[in-house]
Amino acid sequence: MNEPLEAVTGHPAGEPVRALTTRVFLALAPPDDAKDELEQVLRPAYDAYPRMRWNRIEDWHITLAFLGELPVTAVPPLMPPLAGLAARQRPLRLALHGGGHFDERVLWTGVTGDLEGLHRLAADVRTLVRACGVSFPERPLRPHLTLARSRRGDHVDTVEAAASLTAFAGRDWEAGRLHLVGSNIGRGPGPIHYRDIDAWDFPHGAGGAARASGG
């Protein structure tokens, strides 16, 4: 479900938005059954490594462009151009596959399938955002879902959890929606939550088959 910026920035609707910025990214999200399939595979790791900070399943996403902290006023002008881009985009066939880690701290599962189309979409999204006057750090696209992060001193858990995913090969699925996502990071003592600011279907895509993305 899409959320107003007040919700994304951590302020209730009807009250003034005190936060002047919000953390924003653009992403694809797997459908529910692909997430459920991976969640089942992860159950032994959840039990074996309870100290890891596991992302919520509803926050799993494939980041196309991380825009970072933006002025709240910079977000609405992005929406019409992004809607137009999505209207020209064909759905992508993807699958979740295997596992790994970044610097023994971040646990992830990889993405296979139409990677050429995925890289092309990410490039189009980044070009469009910059054409709208929004600058952000250039990061190479490494298609993955972030699953968990280790706590200080527990890096061995991340390595072992990654090894447990080596043989995982999920079913393929259709990515048919572009998500503009915001987070409440740094705006309260609770966990980080992600919410769709808006989302747009690709023509002939799966539409609303995916949960609200994020993580």
Side-chain angles (χ1 to χ4, degrees):
M1 182 176 67
N2 298 347
E3 298 280 358
L5 283 177
E6 290 88 346
V8 174
T9 55
H11 298 281
E15 291 186 6
V17 179
R18 299 179 182 85
L20 299 179
T21 63
T22 186
R23 185 160 291 197
V24 179
F25 58 89
L26 288 139
L28 304 176
D32 288 354
D33 51 358
K35 292 180 178 181
D36 292 341
E37 181 182 33
L38 176 57
E39 186 183 36
Q40 290 296 320
V41 172
L42 285 172
R43 287 193 181 280
Y46 290 157
D47 294 336
Y49 312 110
R51 283 184 49 80
M52 293 185 68
R53 295 179 294 161
W54 292 96
N55 287 6
R56 304 183 311 161
I57 185 172
E58 57 265 38
D59 288 339
W60 287 350
H61 65 271
I62 303 167
T63 300
L64 301 174
F66 180 74
L67 308 187
E69 201 81 12
L70 296 183
V72 170
T73 55
V75 177
L78 294 175
M79 297 181 185
L82 288 168
L85 184 153
R88 300 187 298 272
Q89 172 66 36
R90 65 176 177 81
L92 303 174
R93 298 299 301 184
L94 303 172
L96 303 178
H97 182 83
H101 58 83
F102 297 134
D103 299 326
E104 300 185 353
R105 294 180 55 252
V106 178
L107 175 68
W108 51 264
T109 188
V111 178
T112 61
D114 186 3
L115 296 183
E116 181 178 350
L118 183 61
H119 279 267
R120 187 165 52 246
L121 173 59
D124 290 347
V125 164
R126 296 177 186 202
T127 297
L128 183 149
V129 171
R130 288 196 170 95
C132 291
V134 175
S135 61
F136 56 95
E138 184 62 40
R139 298 178 179 179
L141 180 67
R142 303 174 70 177
H144 69 279
L145 298 185
T146 297
L147 304 175
R149 291 172 173 82
S150 66
R151 298 185 185 275
R152 190 181 301 276
D154 285 347
H155 297 344
V156 65
D157 290 354
T158 306
V159 175
E160 292 178 357
S164 72
L165 288 173
T166 300
F168 171 64
R171 67 167 192 84
D172 67 334
W173 45 271
E174 185 177 82
R177 173 175 271 197
L178 176 65
H179 298 260
L180 176 65
V181 186
S183 80
N184 66 344
I185 187 168
R187 295 189 170 87
I192 299 170
H193 287 178
Y194 300 96
R195 294 289 185 272
D196 274 5
I197 298 170
D198 212 336
W200 304 275
D201 293 345
F202 302 153
H204 313 298
R211 291 176 177 144
S213 65

